[in-house]
Amino acid sequence: TLQPSLTPTTSIPSNSPSNEPSLNPTFTPTTTIPSNFPSDEPTPQPSHPPSTTLPSQSPSDYPSPSPSFIPSSSPSSSNVPTHAPSMSRSPSSAPSYKRPNILLILADDLGTGDLPFYWTGKKSRRSLVETPNLEKFANEGVLFQDAHSTPLCAPSRYSILSGNYPHRGTNIFGSWGFQDKGNQFLEGQSSIAQLLHSQAGYETGVFGKWHIGGKIPPKGFSDSNGKSNILTAEGHDWSQPFIGGPSSIGFEHSYVSMGGIQEPPYSFFRNGLLTTNITDVRYWNRGLYSMPHGISQIGYDSVGNGEGDKSWDSSAYDLIVLNETKAFIENHIEVKPNDPFFAYVALTNVHKPHTPPYFFPDGTRVSETQQTQHLDTISLTDKIVGSLVNLIEEKQLSEDTIIIFTSDNGGLQDSDKVGHETSGPLRGSKGSVYEGGHTVPLIVRWNNNLPSGETRSRLVGLNDLFATICDLVGLQIPFGSGLDSVSFSRYLKDNSRKENLRKYLGIFNVRGSKTNWQMAIREGKKKLVYYPDRVEQSYEFYDLKDDLSERNNLANVETASTNIVQMFEKLKSIGPCANSKYAKICSQFHWTLS
C-alpha cells in the first residue's frame, strides 16, 4: 500500500512509507517549492519510467485482463494496477442482432484550437502541441466543425447523458458535487446509459470524473462540519453507496471521483462505494506532492483543501481511468462477447491543476515535453485516445464500435503566454457564451459504417448525442426524456442529408448570482448574445458566416432587427425562465432588448 507523506512543506514531500513495503519512485525530486504556491519553477524529473504500480484502492468487480495496455510490449506494462476479482459472471447467450458497442471519450476543457488539425486553413489557427492519434482518428471518422456544449463542466455532462438543457434538471445550472438534492437527474428522466441497458442489453460503465451530483449516505450532510470533513464527519455512512450515483442512472460498473482532480473528496468510488478505508483518510492541504508517477497537486485558484485517500495522485488520475476502461472492455469481450457495451470515459485532463505524469504506460515521456504543463496534458489526452482506439482495433472491434470523442466545454487560455490559441480563431474560452466558450471538438468513427476523413459544417449540440445514439442503435426515446435532443444520425452518415437537423441551439451560463448570467442562441450562422441583468447594451448580434470571431456587433443594424426579435423570443421560450420554478430569480431581470 502506497503511503506518501501528506504534509506539504517548503519542499516537495517525499513518499517514504511507514511500516509498509516500499514503493518509492526511482527518482525523488528535491526542488524547493516557494511559498507563493503554485510554483513556476521547473521540477527535476526522472529519466526513466518508475517501477511502481498505479494506485489501486479497491478490488474491481471483474477479473483483471491481460494485457492491460497497448502495446503489450510496453517497457512499463507492469505499471498498470491489477485488481482481484470480487465476482464472476457467465457469458451471455447470443442475441439475434448485436448492436454496435459505444465508446464515448469526454475530454475536460479541451478547445478546438488545442488540436492542430481542427482549424487548418483558418485565420489565427495556432496550436503548439502535436496530437497525432487524434488527427489519425479524425482522418478515419467524421469531424464536426460547429458542435457545441454548455460553457461549463457539470451542466454539460448532464446534457450529454440526458439530452436536455441543464435547467431541465435538479438545479438551474447543473449539480457539481455532493448535495442533499441528489444528482442532476429528476425522477422520470432517463439517461442514455439507462436506455442502452434496459432496452438493448448493453453492459454499461463509467470511468473518471462524475460531476453530476449525488447525496451522502444515508441522509445527506450531517451538519455544516460535514462539508469540510466530508469523509469522516459523524453521520456520514460510507459503508453504503452514495445516493444518486452511477447505478441510479443505468451504469452497472463505475469507478469515479465526484469532481475529478479539482476538488475534494480526493477519493474514488467503485460502484458508488468509497474505495478509501475511513482509517486511511487524510486531510490534504493545498500544495505540491512528489508521487511515484509525477508531481501531484492539491488546489488551484480558489479550490483546495479537503479530505481524501492517502495515496491520492492527480498525476496518475487519467492513467487509472485508462486502465479501468481497458479492464472493463477486455472483461466484457471475455465474459459477454455477444452483447454490446457502452463505456463512458470522463477524463480529467486538461482541467486544472495541470499535473502530467512523468511517463505514459508505454514508456514515452509526458511531462516537460511541451512548453507548458497545460500543453503536456493535451499531449497526454492524445495518447489516451490512441491507446483506447488501439485496444478496439487489436480486438478487431472497429466495425462493431462507435467511438465518439468530444470535450465538455471550450478550452483554457493557460498557454496564451507562449502563443498557443486554445480556441483557434474563435472569441472567448471556457465559461464564455462567445463561440470559444462552447464550440468543442466532436469526432465520430465507426469503421465501414460511417464515412472516413469527412467534415460536417452544420450546427449540432452535445445534447443531440442522446437522440443520435438512439437512432444509430435503433432505440425509441421514452416520453419525457431527451427533450432537447435532435438526432443528426442521417447527416453523420451522409453530408447531403441535412433535413431535420436542429434550427436553434441555446447556450446558457446561469451559474451563481444574476449578474453572472449570460445567454446566447444560434440560428444557423446567426447568433444573439443576451445579458439579462443589463439595462443598457443588453444584447449583441453576429453573423458568423462573415464574422467567425464575433468582432462586428450588428445589434444596431436595421436589417437585423427582425432576426433579433425572433431569436430573442425563442431564447426566452427554451431558457430556464420558461420554467415556473425559477420565477423568483427570473423576475429580477428586465427581459427587454435595450
Side-chain angles (χ1 to χ4, degrees), residues 16 242 309 388 485 530 594:
S16 300
F242 73 86
D309 194 276
L388 288 171
S485 191
Y530 183 65
S594 56

Side-chain angles (χ1 to χ4, degrees), residues 186-199:
L186 294 176
E187 186 176 353
Q189 294 179 345
S190 297
S191 78
I192 188 63
Q194 282 174 308
L195 295 188
L196 292 169
H197 178 61
S198 63
Q199 290 191 22

Side-chain angles (χ1 to χ4, degrees), residues 274-312:
L274 179 67
T275 62
T276 303
N277 190 311
I278 293 300
T279 60
D280 291 333
V281 170
R282 301 297 180 99
Y283 192 87
W284 288 92
N285 291 305
R286 290 169 62 90
L288 302 179
Y289 298 84
S290 175
M291 303 298 280
H293 290 272
I295 304 300
S296 181
Q297 181 172 328
I298 298 293
Y300 77 97
D301 297 341
S302 61
V303 182
N305 301 353
E307 292 184 329
D309 194 276
K310 64 184 179 183
S311 62
W312 181 261

Side-chain angles (χ1 to χ4, degrees), residues 108-153:
D108 199 339
D109 295 355
L110 186 76
T112 54
D114 291 328
L115 306 179
F117 57 87
Y118 224 89
W119 290 103
T120 300
K122 302 288 184 181
K123 289 183 178 180
S124 302
R125 197 283 303 170
R126 191 172 181 201
S127 173
L128 298 184
V129 58
E130 295 302 317
T131 55
N133 294 300
L134 278 163
E135 185 164 3
K136 178 177 181 290
F137 179 66
N139 289 335
E140 296 169 345
V142 179
L143 181 150
F144 286 79
Q145 298 172 315
D146 201 7
H148 298 267
S149 65
T150 298
L152 285 172
C153 172

Side-chain angles (χ1 to χ4, degrees), residues 62-70 80 89 203 323-337 341 391 394-395 397:
Y62 36 78
S64 181
S66 180
S68 295
F69 281 95
I70 305 300
V80 182
R89 296 176 299 185
E203 185 172 25
N323 178 72
E324 289 290 326
T325 305
K326 287 189 167 186
F328 167 77
I329 293 173
E330 291 183 323
N331 180 76
H332 174 89
I333 294 169
E334 180 180 345
V335 177
K336 293 187 174 183
F341 68 78
L391 175 64
E394 184 199 58
K395 300 301 182 181
L397 294 175

Side-chain angles (χ1 to χ4, degrees), residues 447-463:
N447 283 11
N448 288 346
N449 291 276
L450 296 177
S452 60
E454 292 192 1
T455 59
R456 300 287 184 266
S457 60
R458 291 298 182 98
L459 177 70
V460 299
L462 293 192
N463 43 331

